[in-house]
Amino acid sequence: MSEQDGSLTGPPAPASARVEALDALRGFAVLGIFVINIIGFSMPEIAMSDPAYAGGGPVNDGLWTVAQVYFYGAMRGLFSVMFGAGIVLFTQRAIYPDGPIRVADLFYRRTIWLVLFGLIHGFVLLMPGDILLIYGLAGLFLFPFRILTPGKLLCGAVVAMAFLLATVIPQEYAEYRLGGDAMALEAALEDGETLTEDEQAIVDDWSDNIAPPTDEEIAAMIGARTGDLATLYETNAEAVADANGSYSLVWWGIDAAMMMLIGMALYKWRIITAERSLKFYFLMMAIGYGAALPARCWMLWTRWDADFSPILWLPWAVDQPVRVILTMGHIGLFFVLWKLAASSLPMRAFGCAGRMALSNYIGQTLICGILFTGVGFGLYGQFDLAQVYSIMFAVWIAQLSFSLWWLSRFRFGPLEWVWRSLTYWRRQPFRKGITPADKGIAV
């Protein structure tokens, strides 16, 4: 592809520089997804969609609004983009010493272990919103796509998005109609009218599946998360099983694969390797934010204006393409900052956090499990959003500091070392300054 295509602006950057940029962006993503995940860890799920359940008041409402506009869905998208880029990077690196057959074996072994990590993360470590299982399952299907051109990869992403929209729009419209019918029937009940059996079924369906939770239901959620270990595991297993049914796995797997295909294309275009100009990334940021942030603000305003009514007809289909565009804006912003301060302490910290992304992601679950569930302090539902985000900020600082300290002494993060050893089916070198030959380790 020529420079006139706008894809390349000179010779490739050194491999170490490209990997450092990817690591730093991955670190930014793994900390960014915590902005939304910590809400699910610390308070009832309804707090993600209605700020009244996140504490209320100007400060909490403001924080909730920023999270919804700037972070919601986009950081998950960015993390998926990085996983897709990692597929290309891993297969490119492995193919030279190992050959094409060996690299396929390594890739699938690595991906199957990721599926196992996801199952442990969800069912044992009590993370109902785990993404590792989804990424592993999606990754199993993406290996053949690594050789496609960037244009074909983007076409694949468009097809995936079209499938998602085609399945979701009818479902969301049916829920909207159900809500309207149910509320009309509830009003009729209040006027003293008697409902038929079919009409009562509509009201029951609405109450059981879509309507906001009652105070009693919220109290039950808090009791389940802060109760004894048996209760906690039972309710969490139900939540994980519901979230990972066959339909959900297929749907979320395609959603993840869509962003992974974009990540593979961006890697091949040398966009997420910091190899473009500062002007390129500034324009990427300006276009991404200029298109996505006003759309996000408008969508959120309609929800505020409707007092967060669950029957507001604002389909997810509107937000899905906006989420993708916002993710591109995040990438542009990050690499503007990278171009200006690549060697700074914050960027080095992001890079270390990115090299330990698996350890940090699961570490967030462990920390929140200790803080918020009955296994530890049982603080679930006790804090408003401002207090929760104070905890989040402390976790960010701790993980960035720990990542810097750990990687100054060890070659890999703790879980990355386990994953790598399982992938190659032999113990990998761990401490810095000790070569494989010194330890008798074959790599």
Side-chain angles (χ1 to χ4, degrees):
M1 190 171 289
S2 68
E3 288 190 27
Q4 289 180 333
D5 296 320
S7 61
L8 306 180
T9 55
S16 60
R18 296 199 301 272
V19 173
E20 287 172 4
L22 284 168
D23 287 339
L25 183 58
R26 189 183 302 108
F28 175 69
V30 76
L31 297 181
I33 59 175
F34 197 41
V35 175
I36 302 301
N37 284 351
I38 196 171
I39 299 177
F41 282 126
S42 62
M43 55 185 65
E45 186 178 1
I46 186 65
M48 291 191 183
S49 55
D50 189 337
Y53 296 89
V59 174
N60 291 313
D61 288 351
L63 290 170
W64 184 90
T65 299
V66 171
Q68 289 288 314
V69 170
Y70 193 75
F71 291 95
Y72 189 79
M75 286 298 170
R76 175 171 53 85
L78 180 56
F79 207 44
S80 303
V81 164
M82 298 309 301
F83 191 89
I87 291 175
V88 181
L89 179 63
F90 178 82
T91 54
Q92 283 182 343
R93 280 180 153 187
I95 199 167
Y96 294 111
D98 296 306
I101 302 300
R102 174 65 170 163
V103 72
D105 176 62
L106 290 174
F107 175 83
Y108 281 107
R109 193 185 304 167
R110 178 177 185 263
T111 306
I112 290 169
W113 282 117
L114 185 65
V115 171
L116 181 60
F117 281 135
L119 291 171
I120 295 172
H121 190 217
F123 285 97
V124 179
L125 301 182
L126 307 172
M127 174 48 161
D130 168 73
I131 58 174
L132 301 179
L133 174 60
I134 300 295
Y135 282 7
L137 293 175
L140 291 173
F141 293 92
L142 290 181
F143 181 76
F145 290 81
R146 77 198 187 284
I147 61 174
L148 296 181
T149 64
K152 291 180 179 179
L153 290 167
L154 284 186
C155 286
V158 170
V159 170
M161 179 178 287
F163 172 84
L164 296 174
L165 299 184
T167 58
V168 167
I169 291 176
Q171 177 183 340
E172 288 198 336
Y173 186 68
E175 291 178 354
Y176 165 71
R177 292 292 302 272
L178 174 64
D181 293 343
M183 294 187 74
L185 292 171
E186 287 176 345
L189 273 175
E190 293 176 359
D191 292 338
E193 297 183 24
T194 302
L195 302 183
T196 66
E197 185 175 334
D198 290 342
E199 290 173 334
Q200 186 61 51
I202 291 174
V203 173
D204 292 342
D205 188 18
W206 161 256
S207 299
D208 292 342
N209 298 310
I210 303 174
T214 63
D215 291 341
E216 291 76 14
E217 289 171 333
I218 290 177
M221 294 177 200
I222 294 174
R225 295 296 291 180
T226 58
D228 58 50
L229 190 61
T231 301
L232 179 60
Y233 270 101
E234 180 182 358
T235 55
N236 187 79
E238 291 176 357
V240 174
D242 289 343
N244 291 306
S246 57
Y247 176 81
S248 293
L249 287 177
V250 171
W251 198 92
W252 286 107
I254 294 174
D255 176 85
M258 174 188 71
M259 298 304 297
M260 292 176 192
L261 290 171
I262 293 173
M264 295 166 78
L266 295 180
Y267 180 85
K268 291 191 172 191
W269 269 326
R270 293 160 50 183
I271 292 176
I272 56 173
T273 54
E275 295 179 79
R276 299 302 191 89
S277 67
L278 176 62
K279 178 181 178 181
F280 178 91
Y281 291 117
F282 184 83
L283 288 174
M284 186 176 183
M285 176 190 70
I287 294 171
Y289 286 167
L293 290 179
R296 274 281 176 97
C297 289
W298 170 75
M299 288 186 286
L300 190 58
W301 176 84
T302 61
R303 292 166 64 191
W304 277 102
D305 189 55
D307 196 25
F308 295 93
S309 168
I311 64 168
L312 176 65
W313 175 234
L314 185 63
W316 173 92
V318 176
D319 191 52
Q320 180 69 346
V322 170
R323 177 177 77 96
V324 175
I325 296 170
L326 181 59
T327 300
M328 298 304 105
H330 289 341
I331 294 172
L333 170 64
F334 185 84
F335 283 127
V336 166
L337 298 176
W338 174 268
K339 289 288 186 179
L340 297 175
S343 60
S344 65
L345 178 61
M347 287 298 177
R348 286 189 286 116
F350 277 128
C352 289
R355 288 173 59 192
M356 292 176 53
L358 179 62
S359 296
N360 283 318
Y361 176 62
I362 294 182
Q364 291 165 2
T365 299
L366 293 173
I367 291 169
C368 289
I370 293 170
L371 289 175
F372 298 115
T373 71
V375 173
F377 296 101
L379 298 175
Y380 184 86
Q382 302 301 310
F383 296 136
D384 63 24
L385 191 58
Q387 294 167 323
V388 165
Y389 277 171
S390 297
I391 295 171
M392 177 195 71
F393 185 76
V395 173
W396 278 355
I397 297 300
Q399 290 196 315
L400 289 169
S401 301
F402 180 75
S403 298
L404 279 166
W405 176 85
W406 181 273
L407 290 178
S408 69
R409 291 160 174 79
F410 301 96
R411 295 170 183 264
F412 311 103
L415 291 181
E416 285 73 17
W417 177 79
V418 172
W419 192 15
R420 185 178 178 89
S421 296
L422 290 171
T423 297
Y424 286 90
W425 209 238
R426 56 174 63 94
R427 185 167 57 90
Q428 298 294 294
F430 197 26
R431 286 185 175 274
K432 284 190 171 181
I434 302 176
T435 65
D438 296 331
K439 300 291 289 183
I441 300 171
V443 295

